[in-house]
């Protein structure tokens, strides 16, 4: 009886020695994972809402030329932009929401004039922005991103930007908002595998502690190291080959860690529309390449380009057509430069290509071939064949002190190409 009690005590001790550290690490990983993923996703949301707010302002300016004005001579104020009455004119703002899954509100002063937000199927026009937003945006004439705006009892991310008339007078604000619930769900989905893995390890450790205590200790140490690296933001493969080669639950866990890293990397680094690297990932790769080539004579090349007259695809055929054009062009660029470097969506219809090898002449030849493929390609949409052209600026790293300086110069070459005919590749020599 005493031997049995002693044996059960040893099993319990081994279980505590293995389970408690794993649970502790799991809590740390979950906390760091939530913080890191939340921070990264909030940065993405901020950039997206900023772009959507400015897109809305530009859309109003292009569709309804003229200044904003209020006529208070009647029973109720009439808000106009140029010759267009904006009261209850929801066609444009609703189309923007449908295209971007983002809610918009147009303020004149601090008064809601148009909005896609509703309460009981009634738009909440006529209400006022709170005093803090009015002071920070309208009166201070500055853009602001808010992480926790309460609208009708629901929490939103919101980006506010001032609106100006032609005389540079600030007359109102445009707000682009996105519900926090959807972002929270993505964060939980990203972190949940870590918690599940920790629980699985704890159960296995209790069951097998008497027989494989030493193996458990070594295995847990390796997994702990992998978890800690993920918690610090390392999304490359940090799992040892020995763990991946195991044909047991720990081997499954190791592969799950790799899958989790891949999922997080895709969530944080990939552009969801095109499948290319997003701007954040492209910027990191560019800076790494620049650092690796610093002081080297051969250096590397960068090409920055965008789709000519891209707006016409959205205007003439709709945003679905514009998305299809972006997806097909992204696929062409990726296929053309696959063996020479990487391609990232830099923003909107802009793409950045980082050549990891090859001289300026060789990279120029690749880009000329790429342009020819783009010119020959036709996008099929609703029974129509649509041609697409692009303009690129190509620059070599020699003589530049930073990656940002390279991109800035490539952008200048791209702008030069836009101003001198488009549908071309421009290098510093040609400019």
């Amino acid at each position: 009886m005493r031997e049995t009690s002693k044996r059960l005590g040893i099993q319990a001790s081994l279980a505590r020695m293995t389970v408690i550290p794993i649970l502790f690490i799991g809590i740390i990983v979950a906390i760091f994972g939530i913080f890191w993923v939340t921070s990264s996703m909030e940065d993405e949301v901020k950039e997206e809402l900023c772009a959507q707010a400015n897109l809305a302002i530009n859309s109003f300016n292009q569709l309804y030329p003229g200044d904003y004005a209020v006529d208070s001579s009647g029973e109720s104020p009439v808000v106009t932009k140029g010759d267009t009455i904006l009261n209850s004119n929801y066609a444009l703002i609703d189309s923007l929401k449908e295209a971007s899954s983002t809610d918009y509100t147009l303020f004149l002063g601090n008064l809601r004039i148009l909005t896609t937000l509703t309460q009981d199927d009634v738009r909440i026009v006529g209400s006022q922005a709170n005093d803090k937003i009015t002071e920070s945006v309208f009166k201070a004439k500055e853009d602001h991103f808010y992480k926790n705006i309460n609208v009708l009892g629901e929490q939103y991310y919101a980006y506010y930007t001032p609106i100006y008339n032609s005389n540079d007078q600030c007359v109102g604000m445009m707000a682009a908002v996105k519900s926090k619930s959807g972002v929270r769900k993505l964060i939980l989905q990203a972190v949940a595998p870590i918690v599940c893995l920790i629980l699985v390890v704890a159960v296995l450790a209790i069951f097998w502690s008497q027989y494989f205590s030493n193996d458990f200790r070594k295995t847990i140490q390796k997994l702990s190291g992998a978890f800690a690296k993920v918690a610090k933001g390392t999304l490359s493969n940090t799992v040892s080959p020995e763990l991946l080669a195991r044909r047991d639950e720990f081997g499954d866990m190791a592969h799950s860690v790799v899958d989790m890293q891949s999922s997080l990397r895709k969530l944080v680094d990939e552009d969801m529309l095109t499948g290319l690297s997003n701007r954040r990932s492209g910027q990191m790769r560019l800076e790494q390449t620049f650092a690796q080539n610093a002081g080297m004579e051969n250096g590397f090349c960068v090409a920055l380009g965008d789709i000519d007259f891209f707006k016409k695809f959205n205007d003439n055929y709709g945003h679905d057509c514009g998305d299809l054009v972006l997806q097909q062009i992204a696929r062409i660029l990726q296929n053309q430069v696959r063996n020479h470097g990487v391609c990232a969506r830099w923003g909107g219809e802009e793409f950045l290509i980082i050549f990891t090898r090859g001289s300026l002449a060789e990279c120029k030849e690749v880009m000329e071939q790429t342009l020819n493929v783009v010119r020959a390609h036709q996008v099929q949409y609703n029974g129509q064949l649509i041609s697409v052209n692009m303009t690129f600026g190509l620059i070599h790293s020699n003589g530049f002190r930073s990656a940002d300086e390279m991109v800035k110069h490539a952008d200048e070459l791209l702008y030069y190409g836009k101003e001198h005919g488009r549908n071309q590749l421009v290098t510093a020599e040609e400019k």
Side-chain angles (χ1 to χ4, degrees), residues 5-281:
S5 300
K6 184 177 180 179
R7 183 166 59 250
L8 291 175
I10 293 174
Q11 290 177 340
S13 297
L14 290 174
R16 288 193 297 270
M17 291 171 61
T18 53
V19 174
I20 292 177
I22 293 174
L23 292 178
F24 179 73
I25 292 171
I27 294 172
I28 295 176
V29 170
I31 293 173
F32 275 87
I34 292 173
F35 176 80
W36 184 76
V37 173
T38 300
S39 177
S40 298
M41 294 197 67
E42 285 182 345
D43 289 341
E44 293 287 335
V45 170
K46 178 180 179 180
E47 292 181 7
E48 176 187 351
L49 292 182
C50 174
Q52 296 297 344
N54 285 286
L55 172 64
I57 292 176
N58 292 334
S59 299
F60 270 87
N61 288 336
Q62 292 178 10
L63 189 60
Y64 310 129
D67 288 341
Y68 292 90
V70 179
D71 182 2
S72 302
S73 60
E75 294 182 359
S76 58
V78 176
V79 179
T80 60
K81 190 175 190 307
D83 297 329
T84 304
I85 297 176
L86 295 183
N87 300 75
S88 301
N89 189 349
Y90 297 112
L92 175 56
I93 202 168
D94 284 349
S95 66
L96 291 172
K97 176 180 180 179
E98 182 178 356
S100 62
S101 298
T102 300
D103 282 294
Y104 299 85
T105 298
L106 171 66
F107 295 87
L108 203 61
N110 67 342
L111 184 67
R112 285 185 174 87
I113 303 301
L114 295 175
T115 186
T116 57
L117 295 171
T118 62
Q119 184 178 34
D120 298 328
D121 296 328
V122 177
R123 298 178 191 262
I124 56 171
V125 295
S127 56
Q128 294 182 341
N130 66 47
D131 295 338
K132 178 182 177 181
I133 295 174
T134 301
E135 289 288 338
S136 301
V137 181
F138 177 62
K139 294 184 179 180
K141 301 179 182 179
E142 294 180 354
D143 290 14
H144 270 275
F145 174 65
Y146 300 94
K147 298 181 180 180
N148 195 23
I149 292 294
N150 188 305
V151 181
L152 304 177
E154 185 172 355
Q155 302 301 314
Y156 287 87
Y157 291 105
Y159 193 95
Y160 285 76
T161 185
I163 297 174
Y164 298 89
N165 273 340
S166 58
N167 60 0
D168 291 333
Q169 178 186 3
C170 181
V171 295
M173 302 176 288
M174 178 66 72
V177 302
K178 185 178 288 291
S179 174
K180 297 189 71 171
S181 59
V183 178
R184 288 171 179 166
K185 185 180 296 183
L186 291 175
I187 295 172
L188 291 175
Q189 290 175 351
V191 178
I194 302 176
V195 178
C196 294
L197 288 174
I198 299 301
L199 293 176
V200 171
V201 172
V203 172
L204 291 174
I206 293 172
F207 185 79
W208 295 104
S209 58
Q210 183 178 4
Y211 306 100
F212 302 103
S213 59
N214 189 50
D215 185 46
F216 276 11
R217 179 181 58 80
K218 293 180 180 179
T219 301
I220 291 172
Q221 286 178 342
K222 293 177 181 178
L223 284 174
S224 297
F227 289 147
K229 290 180 180 178
V230 174
K232 293 178 181 179
T234 302
L235 299 184
S236 57
N237 186 4
T238 59
V239 183
S240 66
E242 293 81 4
L243 281 177
L244 293 173
R246 291 180 65 110
R247 302 183 65 181
D248 55 16
E249 290 82 352
F250 281 115
D252 294 338
M253 289 170 55
H255 285 283
S256 296
V257 172
V258 175
D259 293 340
M260 177 187 63
Q261 291 173 323
S262 176
S263 298
L264 287 172
R265 187 165 56 247
K266 183 176 181 181
L267 180 66
V268 175
D269 293 340
E270 183 176 297
D271 177 64
M272 297 183 67
L273 177 64
T274 63
L276 298 177
S277 297
N278 58 23
R279 180 161 184 156
R280 174 185 175 279
S281 177

